[in-house]
Amino acid sequence: MILHDLISLDILRVIWWVLLGVLLIGFALTDGFDMGVGALLPFVGKTDVERRVSINTIGPVWEGNQVWFILGGGAIFAAWPPLYAVSFSGFYLAMFAVLAALILRPVAFKYRSKRDDARWRNRWDWALFVGGAVPALIFGVAVGNVLQGVPFEFNNDLMALYPGNVFSKFIGLLNPFALLAGVVSLSMLLMHGAAWLTLKTEGPVQMRARAIGSVAGTVAFATYILAGIWLAFGIAGYHLATAVPANGPSNPLFSQVVHGGSWFAAYAARPWIAIAPILGLVGIALATLGLRSGREISTLLFSKLGIFGVISSVGLTMFPFILPSSLQPDASLTVWDSSSSQQTLFVMLVAALIFMPIILAYTAWVYKVLWGKVTVEDIERDNQTVY
């Protein structure tokens, strides 16, 4: 028996669906507070020193945190090729905006302190704001569009086709429900960034972060509930009309999909998945209360719990769908018909089991070494070695 035959294709597909979720959640939990701090920077820091304190809470770790984003993109490319091709084609301008913002961030980190000029530094501070706020917003908008279905179709050669030009497709993404999902994402990561600043700073920066973060947490809580109600009663879901062989070929056109009913039918079929939105709401609520009461470590942990619950609720609600099609429902991508081969998934799994523990161990060691608050005294003492 060939080694990769020890794990069947259906199990490998589910494993990689879970691992993709882990990578995306890992990115949100780590780089999420980086983006949150960047988006908060012009508001929590009123002086140059205060802003440098904020920047130096994330300066040593942001590059490592982006590893999760790279791993997530790589996993989509290798484990779910149709998803990679279809999503990057449909969200081309949105992806370009995200990448431009993420590229702007390291440039701002490196160039901000090159000149001792207030206007120069202020421009780069707003660049860091863009580098944090834009991706946080667009990621949520993308999720909102996925839940509604993306307008693509396949021809007989399995080539993905989109109606309209690139600009019209981008404008189409900015619909009301998607923008609401964007607000959920942005406010949630602002709360997460504020929780990080509460843990890593003191004095005026910490106080402002608590005040802004508690408002952001309240907004995240309210908009998440509103989005859930809208999804339950105003957004048509997707359902498989016939059973799809879990070990079948990766050809989405072999499935029959019904676009109608509610996504929330998943909760009737699998009641246990309700734990995800409950964790999301509880985590956001406790993080918001923690920001208001001045707690530090528990606030960050509850913020992470909230993000975990919110993101996992989307994946569990949609399962087995990964990218539904509003234009040709039968072309919708699911866990069962859009993966790579069994051998590819197995080899990737072996690599993940080897390298993921190394990445996690190194990340834990880095945070242990960098544990503690960043103070004004640190900035003034190490003026030449900090951002």
Side-chain angles (χ1 to χ4, degrees):
M1 179 182 292
I2 300 175
L3 185 59
H4 70 262
D5 288 336
L6 294 174
I7 306 179
S8 61
L9 180 57
D10 58 334
I11 295 176
L12 284 170
R13 282 169 165 166
V14 173
I15 289 174
W16 272 103
W17 174 79
V18 172
L19 286 177
L20 178 59
V22 168
L23 293 173
L24 295 178
I25 292 172
F27 171 64
L29 295 182
T30 55
D31 208 41
F33 65 71
D34 294 342
M35 291 187 286
V37 170
L40 290 169
L41 181 63
F43 312 105
V44 297
K46 299 302 183 182
T47 66
D48 180 63
V49 172
E50 289 177 353
R51 292 184 177 183
R52 292 182 71 189
V53 167
S54 300
I55 292 171
N56 277 274
T57 65
I58 60 174
V61 298
W62 71 268
E63 289 177 292
N65 291 339
Q66 287 205 152
V67 167
W68 296 97
F69 183 62
I70 298 169
L71 289 175
I76 294 174
F77 174 79
W80 311 97
L83 173 62
Y84 184 90
V86 173
S87 60
F88 274 70
S89 297
F91 297 117
Y92 185 81
L93 281 183
M95 293 288 187
F96 183 85
V98 168
L99 291 176
L102 292 177
I103 291 171
L104 184 63
R105 183 169 59 170
V107 176
F109 278 135
K110 299 301 181 184
Y111 279 88
R112 182 192 185 277
S113 295
K114 296 297 183 182
R115 291 174 56 182
D116 189 12
D117 178 80
R119 288 183 298 177
W120 168 272
R121 294 186 173 185
N122 187 60
R123 293 190 191 102
W124 288 116
D125 290 339
W126 282 102
L128 287 170
F129 166 81
V130 171
V134 169
L137 178 66
I138 291 181
F139 286 141
V141 170
V143 171
N145 278 281
V146 169
L147 285 166
Q148 296 175 90
V150 179
F152 70 91
E153 60 183 346
F154 286 117
N155 62 18
N156 291 332
D157 296 322
L158 286 182
M159 178 182 293
L161 303 174
Y162 282 84
N165 55 47
V166 174
F167 182 74
S168 66
K169 287 186 287 188
F170 177 74
I171 295 299
L173 299 177
L174 304 178
N175 56 78
F177 179 77
L179 290 174
L180 176 62
V183 172
V184 175
S185 175
L186 177 59
S187 58
M188 187 169 60
L189 293 188
L190 287 174
M191 175 195 70
H192 198 40
W196 176 256
L197 287 174
T198 297
L199 177 66
K200 296 290 290 184
T201 65
E202 56 188 24
V205 173
Q206 186 188 62
M207 292 176 60
R208 296 186 193 111
R210 286 175 180 168
I212 299 173
S214 62
V215 174
T218 303
V219 172
F221 187 89
T223 52
Y224 182 55
I225 292 177
L226 178 59
I229 295 173
W230 194 338
L231 186 66
F233 301 104
I235 304 295
Y238 290 78
H239 312 279
L240 291 171
T242 57
V244 177
N247 284 302
S250 290
N251 187 336
L253 296 182
F254 285 173
S255 60
Q256 295 182 5
V257 177
V258 174
H259 182 198
S262 172
W263 279 118
F264 275 54
Y267 292 89
R270 293 170 278 132
W272 63 269
I273 68 174
I275 188 64
I278 291 173
L279 289 177
L281 290 171
V282 169
I284 292 173
L286 292 178
T288 303
L289 293 174
L291 286 165
R292 291 178 178 175
S293 62
R295 293 191 295 271
E296 298 181 357
I297 296 178
S298 62
T299 298
L300 183 63
L301 294 177
F302 285 132
S303 179
K304 291 179 181 293
L305 178 66
I307 292 173
F308 171 82
V310 169
I311 297 177
S312 60
S313 70
V314 175
L316 291 171
T317 299
M318 291 181 59
F319 185 85
F321 290 91
I322 304 177
L323 188 65
S325 169
S326 59
L327 190 62
Q328 183 187 9
D330 288 348
S332 299
L333 304 181
T334 73
V335 172
W336 310 128
D337 57 21
S338 56
S339 73
S340 291
S341 68
Q342 183 176 1
Q343 182 173 1
T344 299
L345 296 179
F346 180 80
V347 172
M348 290 176 59
L349 179 60
V350 172
L353 292 176
I354 294 173
F355 291 106
M356 283 291 289
I358 296 175
I359 294 172
L360 291 171
Y362 176 75
T363 301
W365 176 78
V366 168
Y367 280 95
K368 179 181 179 181
V369 170
L370 297 174
W371 185 259
K373 292 183 179 292
V374 178
T375 65
V376 172
E377 290 74 19
D378 295 329
I379 301 299
E380 293 175 344
R381 182 183 63 250
D382 302 324
N383 189 57
Q384 298 304 315
T385 58
V386 295
Y387 293 93

